[in-house]
Amino acid sequence: MRIGAPRAAGADPRLVAVTPDAARRLAGLGHDVVVEPGVGDGARLPAHEYVAAGARVADRADVWGADVVVTLDPPGPAELDLLRPGATLVAQLAPATRPELLAALAARGVTALALDAVPRISRAQSLDVLSALSNVAGYRAVVEAAEEFGGMFTGQVTAAGSTPPARVFVIGAGVAGLAAVGTAVSLGAEVHAFDVRPEAAEQIESLGARVVRAADAVQQVSADGYASAQSADQEAAALRAYAEQTAQADVVITTALVRGTAPVTITRTMLDAMRPGSVVVDLAAPGGGNCEATVPGQRVVTDRGVVVLGYTDLAARLPQHSSRLLGTVVVNLLTLLTPAEDGRLALDLDDPVVRGMTVAHAGEVTWPPPPVPVSAAPPPAAPERVATPAADPGAERRRRGMRRTVLGALGVVAGGLLVAASPPDAVGHLTVFALAVVVGFYVISNVTHALHTPLMAQTNAISGIIMVGALLQIGDSSPVVTAIAVVAAALAGVNVFGGFLVTRRMLGMFRRGAS
């Protein structure tokens, strides 16, 4: 079949749904690819690369008249007139908010597949355009914030003094939020993040950020993994957490969207409490904005000097990367629709992924799709449970604390008895030993991970001293002393050998060419 890739129909021509690499892979599926002149100019993809990939450059009418038309933006009235009956359109169509467009496509007999209506199931993740672009937008949000912020994200230690790292607060830990968290952490910022979904805390911590906790704002785990509208009490608790964090933050990145609508998370009162020069990047600007000062598509500076960025084209500001992701999604979709790789489209409406994306077919509007079945088997019956009193969450902590206190007291008593029964010369040795244990414990336990390798070298030196002392005691007249010296020398030797071996392997990781 002939696949047409026109220039973007919307106001932003930088993104392209079919890259030269995608065109080459589509040709491998048996399709003929035609592109409009200048289709890749915004992403710096010249026409000769498309030709080298096996595509053909044709005029606009020829491209829109193809069997399958792939574009990012929904078509306007002029483009609708160029679509031929029976054609297949692949685009972002916003089917929930544009019923008139769906009706027009159905009236022309066009089969429409909405890239922004992919079912949220594991098998469809490779087709999820929204997640791919959200990931780019989260990264770009940090870049924009770094451009506006009047300092470095990472802390600095110089001869002239030191500067603390920037403090970044991210609201929402979805795809965009986690991308922003990871980017800010990699730049050296001190990152704090909050999400109403309790399952997001582990993901935040895995990226090296600190989780902001507000127990009264946490929602139960949702069936689809997305946040739902908060109750009044939950919203109030969340706003209290936002107010506390924004007052300390240098950069705030908001990503909260509930079914496409942006709830208010940053009030004007919170903006007034932020330091002059602070930056707010509102990734929810396309949905109206999380910040009360957000103007979608614009940069706003408040009276207090806080910069609020409401850009709606963050993914398009990295056109090459975003277009590459879009092209991969299109290839994945057409691979699914061309199972025989013979250039023939097979629209299997029994497939829940295909059915979920199909919003118009055979002259009818097919939106909304039927619910996606999660499992064909009925869930197992829950076993009967005997009601038990709610456990006190602090009881176990108190029991552990009591055990530690009792054991510590017993240890002190035993040590006192040992000292009392020891000869005077041994008291001094026991005192030095006890102090060495205490000091060694606190020194080792408070060493940062970055110093483990040099610390290992120091412990190797200590083990070497122990080995020398043990060797000097071997052959003593007392068999007990000799036995202890042999064991000490053996253990110290193992420690020295193993320590140098591990140190060598760790240092080898930093040598050029090391795997």
Side-chain angles (χ1 to χ4, degrees), residues 463 466-467 469-471 473-474 479-495:
S463 297
I466 294 173
M467 181 180 292
L471 292 176
Q473 296 299 322
I474 293 177
V480 176
V481 173
T482 300
I484 295 176
V486 170
V487 172
L491 293 178
V494 171
N495 192 33

Side-chain angles (χ1 to χ4, degrees), residues 235-287:
E235 184 177 356
L239 288 176
R240 288 194 295 270
Y242 300 154
E244 179 183 353
Q245 292 295 321
T246 54
Q248 305 174 56
D250 300 302
V251 174
V252 177
I253 299 174
T254 67
T255 68
L257 280 172
V258 179
R259 312 303 179 189
T261 302
V264 174
T265 59
I266 306 297
T267 64
R268 291 191 179 274
T269 303
M270 296 181 196
L271 287 175
D272 292 340
M274 294 179 67
R275 292 187 289 268
S278 301
V279 182
V280 176
V281 184
D282 195 339
L283 283 173

Side-chain angles (χ1 to χ4, degrees), residues 91-110:
Q92 291 190 119
L93 300 174
T97 59
R98 307 192 67 171
E100 71 287 347
L101 175 60
L102 304 187
L105 291 169
R108 294 190 63 86
V110 173

Side-chain angles (χ1 to χ4, degrees), residues 363-381:
E364 296 182 357
V365 175
T366 58
W367 175 266
V372 177
V374 177
S375 174

Side-chain angles (χ1 to χ4, degrees), residues 383-389:
E384 294 185 0
R385 295 184 179 179
V386 179
T388 56

